Structure formats: C-alpha cells, structure tokens
Amino acid sequence: MTQLPVLNLSSSATATIGDGRRASLPPRHLADLDLAGRRAAVVDLGEQAFRAGQVSAHYFGRLVRDPAEMTDLPAGSRATIAEALLPALLHPVSELSTDDGATRKTLWRLHDGSLVESVLMGYPDRVTVCVSSQAGCGMACPFCATGQAGLTRNLSTAEIVDQVVWFAAMAARGELPGCPDRLSRVVFMGMGEPLANYNRVIAAVRRLTDPAPEGLGLSQRHITVSTVGLVPAMRRLTSEGLSVTLALSLHAPDDDLRDTLVPVNQRWKVAEVLDAAFEYAARTGRRVSIEYAMIRDVNDHPWRADLLGRLLSGRLAHVNLIPLNPTPGSKWDASPKPVEREFVRRLRAAGVATTVRDTRGREIDGACGQLAASSGGKVGERQDGLLARRANEETQ
Ligand code: SAH
C-alpha cells in the first residue's frame, strides 16, 4: 500500500515550526472551558463563582475583551480574572480587504509564532466567517495551498472561537457597510482539517452555539464543518446529536482520481466516505454538501458528472462546484465555463441539486484553498483597488 502523507489524527499538540522552535498550544482561555469549568477556574483564583458568568457575558454577550470595560467586576478582580481567562491569543499581523470591505482576510500570529488566516464574508442578509482549525494542514491535497506546507499544529478551542468573536465584534461595531451587524454563520473551511482536530473543533462548535453567557448563541444549522472524509470521525460526528451542516470535499467520483486529489482516499474510498456522509444526512435530516473543485481536464469530464450523478441521485445531498482557485506553483486551472455548465446540466439531469460557488476573495488569496498564511512582504504589494493595511500588532 502506498505510504500516505502525514495523517495526524491524534491530538498531538506540538510540531516544529519554521525556525525550529516547538509549536505548542496556547495558555488556557475561557472559551476552552464550559461555564462550569470557568466557575471552577474563577474559584481557583480566590474569586466568587458568579464572576465567571459576568466575564463570560462580556466576552460572548457584549463581545468585549478589555478588562477596563468590565465595570461590574470589582476593579481589583478585573486584572486577575482577565489574566487567567482572557489571554490574548490572536495577534493580527495584516488584513487584506476587497469587495468594498465586504470580504476581509486577517492573518494572525499565535503565541508560538504559528500563523493562521480567517476570512470574513459580508452579504446584505448575513455575515459569514471562514475559520481555521489547524495551523497548516496534513492532508496534502495537491491543489490546495494550505496542504503544501504540512501541518504545524492543532488550534486550541479558544483559538478557533476567538476568530469568530473577533469578527462578530467588528460586525457589531457596524464596520461592515451594507451588512447586518450580527455575525450569523461560521464555516470550518479555512486552514486545516477540522475532523483531524476533532475534540477541539466539537468544543468550539458547542461554544459558538451555546446561548450567552455560556457561548455565542449561533444556530447549529448555520455552522458548516467541512472534511476531506475522515470516516471514523464522520461517524463520531453523526453520533454527537448536533445539527451542523456537513460538507464533504469529494472532488472526484472515482477512486483512481480521488486517490491523488485527496490522498486520504487511499485509506477511505469514495463509497465508504459517501456512505458515512449519507448516514450523517439520514441521522440529522440535514442535506450534506458535496464540494467539488472544477479542475480543467482533470476532474471535469462529462462521464465523471454522470458517475457523480448516479452516486448522489435520490440522496440527501447537493453538489457545490467550486471553480478552482489559483495557487502558487500549481499547474492546474479552473474548468472553462462551457465545461462547467455541462457538468451542472448533467448533475441536474440526474436529479441532483447543484450550485456553483460564488467564490469570494480570490484577489486577496482568501478564497477556498488559497490560505497559506505567509506574511512575507505581501501586504502593500497588492494590485489597485485593494485596501491593504497593517493592523496594529498586540492590540488585544
Ligand atoms: N480540510 C477541509 C476544510 C478545508 S475547506 C476540507 O478539505 O474540506 C476548503 C475547501 O476548499 C475544501 O473543499 C477544499 O477541497 C477546497 N479547495 C482547496 N483548494 C482549492 C482550490 N485551489 N480551489 C478551489 N477549492 C479549493
């Protein structure tokens, strides 16, 4: 059997980052804990348990993280509690924006120097944030920029949650013109394979969906978890009783091709991965989203559309075609529009609901598969029409 690329399904938290230092999980933050855990932590500090609810209401309810603004806490307790439960986790390095400010990509430096990116997408009726669940990714899909550098480490629960809270605060301050001031959707489609960091991602989903002050109070239905198809983890997700949307990055309906486009297919084949997805759909009643990047002359043949149509016909699934986004050094292009239209036509003829993703953020390397989290001199060297500004570091 072919040796698979790094398939790090364990919860190992350390890896060597670029300069040889060990990457490690960050200090504990209140978003790592449920409310009971936060109460215990506050009591450990010699404070009264109900202070945990107060500080949680600031962070999740008011989207406030500055202890000076927590005036219902005694002045003497604020610093102690903030130091123990609200360490700064995400340090903004740069922000790129396009679509008149409605699409923004932030590059964050984590406490150990690891870099990750998040993308905000504002629409007239909703605000969506695309979060990273790992620094880097071990899945090695050849068409995805994130996969090229390998996995640095898993993100902690709070590092995931804080990406959302950060943007929710930005929306609440009215900084997204023409968009609602409430962030409502989260997609785990940034850097990393969410199901390879299973426990922390599930805890993050709970924090995002628990009502304030325990969590951010988003609807489970407005959260999408995307996976390359780690079958045991998909089955585990099915048993959680959550009603998040599951997206499966399929990209090929046949094992021969999928073995190369999504190397984890060497371990879990198309039939098995689709079975696990259909089981999730059956258990939750939620339609699964089948992600399919359209790559010219690679996976866009009419016979592949027909095969995909047969595999999905009559199932609780819809296909989301993603025109391939360019990545550095890749020899592949997006399929020509007529080829894409024929692919859509054949899928629909087979009775499969199909949409083509409105890809946002390509000009800022913020679209699907383009997140590489490199800071090297890119900011300020962008084409016209882009606002590229260096955010103040250490603003937290
Ligand atoms: N690891 C998870 C989460 C990342 S989601 C997953 O793969 O599902 C990012 C989505 O963008 C995935 O569907 C991925 O396959 C897709 N993608 C990656 N590179 C792309 C590219 N260059 N163009 C278009 N889509 C891409």
Side-chain angles (χ1 to χ4, degrees):
M1 187 186 144
T2 330
Q3 184 66 39
L4 284 173
V6 193
L7 267 186
N8 185 357
L9 307 184
S10 76
S11 57
S12 157
T14 60
T16 305
I17 53 177
D19 56 6
R21 280 176 300 137
R22 302 290 287 172
S24 62
L25 281 176
R28 179 191 63 183
H29 182 283
L30 69 83
D32 289 314
L33 307 167
D34 60 13
L35 195 50
R38 287 171 225 162
R39 283 207 191 90
V42 163
V43 169
D44 279 349
L45 296 170
E47 299 286 341
Q48 288 172 285
F50 75 95
R51 301 282 178 220
Q54 289 178 308
V55 70
S56 301
H58 285 294
Y59 179 75
F60 282 119
R62 296 182 56 224
L63 309 170
V64 155
R65 61 183 72 217
D66 176 2
E69 291 183 44
M70 303 181 184
T71 50
D72 55 343
L73 290 164
S77 307
R78 276 178 222 159
T80 321
I81 293 177
E83 199 177 306
L85 288 175
L86 286 170
L89 300 176
L90 307 178
H91 306 275
V93 176
S94 63
E95 183 187 81
L96 291 169
S97 127
T98 183
D99 300 327
D100 291 330
T103 305
R104 296 161 188 238
K105 179 175 85 164
T106 301
L107 171 69
W108 312 102
R109 187 171 44 72
L110 309 179
H111 82 110
D112 60 353
S114 304
L115 296 171
V116 296
E117 292 178 327
S118 334
V119 182
L120 179 85
M121 292 159 287
Y123 301 85
D125 63 334
R126 65 188 191 280
V127 175
T128 302
V129 60
C130 173
V131 294
S132 293
S133 56
Q134 299 182 310
C137 184
M139 298 298 125
C141 304
F143 56 93
C144 175
T146 312
Q148 305 319 301
L151 176 68
T152 300
R153 70 165 167 88
N154 285 323
L155 298 196
S156 70
T157 298
E159 283 172 326
I160 298 169
V161 171
D162 205 36
Q163 295 170 56
V164 182
V165 172
W166 190 282
F167 285 120
M170 186 185 278
R173 288 193 300 267
E175 288 175 21
L176 303 172
C179 304
D181 59 8
R182 198 177 133 71
L183 182 151
S184 56
R185 289 171 195 255
V186 177
V187 294
F188 283 81
M189 292 191 176
M191 299 173 75
E193 166 50 41
L195 297 189
N197 185 14
Y198 188 89
N199 291 339
R200 297 184 190 94
V201 164
I202 297 302
V205 168
R206 297 200 188 282
R207 291 303 109 72
L208 295 174
T209 57
D210 284 339
E214 180 129 27
L216 201 56
L218 303 182
S219 156
Q220 287 184 6
R221 292 168 168 257
H222 289 168
I223 299 209
T224 299
V225 175
S226 183
T227 181
V228 288
L230 306 182
V231 167
M234 290 168 75
R235 295 199 193 287
R236 207 172 148 199
L237 182 66
T238 303
S239 69
E240 297 282 348
L242 293 167
S243 50
V244 298
T245 300
L246 179 66
L248 170 64
S249 297
L250 194 66
H251 305 308
D254 53 307
D255 287 320
D256 267 0
L257 179 57
R258 195 166 192 269
D259 278 351
T260 58
L261 290 184
V262 185
V264 75
N265 195 72
Q266 296 164 33
R267 184 117 140 227
W268 294 291
K269 298 294 175 190
V270 170
E272 206 180 346
V273 93
L274 282 177
D275 252 15
F278 297 151
E279 234 173 83
Y280 183 84
R283 181 76 70 91
T284 57
R286 312 272 309 142
R287 201 163 71 152
V288 290
S289 180
I290 304 295
E291 311 295 294
Y292 200 105
M294 291 291 284
I295 315 176
R296 183 204 291 255
D297 297 333
V298 172
N299 64 352
D300 60 358
H301 314 88
W303 72 266
R304 286 200 158 94
D306 293 342
L307 175 55
L308 185 60
R310 285 197 297 280
L311 293 174
L312 300 181
S313 171
R315 303 295 192 159
L316 202 50
H318 90 280
V319 174
N320 196 213
L321 298 177
I322 317 170
L324 185 81
N325 292 306
T327 57
S330 166
K331 52 186 184 303
W332 288 324
D333 299 317
S335 304
K337 283 294 159 194
V339 173
E340 183 186 283
R341 277 196 291 274
E342 178 61 10
F343 206 88
V344 172
R345 193 191 66 73
R346 285 172 183 256
L347 282 169
R348 289 188 180 151
V352 179
T354 304
T355 49
V356 178
R357 182 174 295 173
D358 146 43
T359 296
R360 283 274 195 107
R362 213 181 269 177
E363 336 58 311
I364 54 173
D365 286 345
C368 303
Q370 294 186 311
L371 302 185
S374 58
S375 56
K378 280 189 174 172
V379 176
E381 291 175 9
R382 294 296 166 144
Q383 325 84 299
D384 291 342
L386 293 182
L387 165 76
R389 74 176 167 85
R390 186 171 289 277
N392 274 344
E393 287 201 29
E394 315 289 346
T395 52
Q396 290 194 77

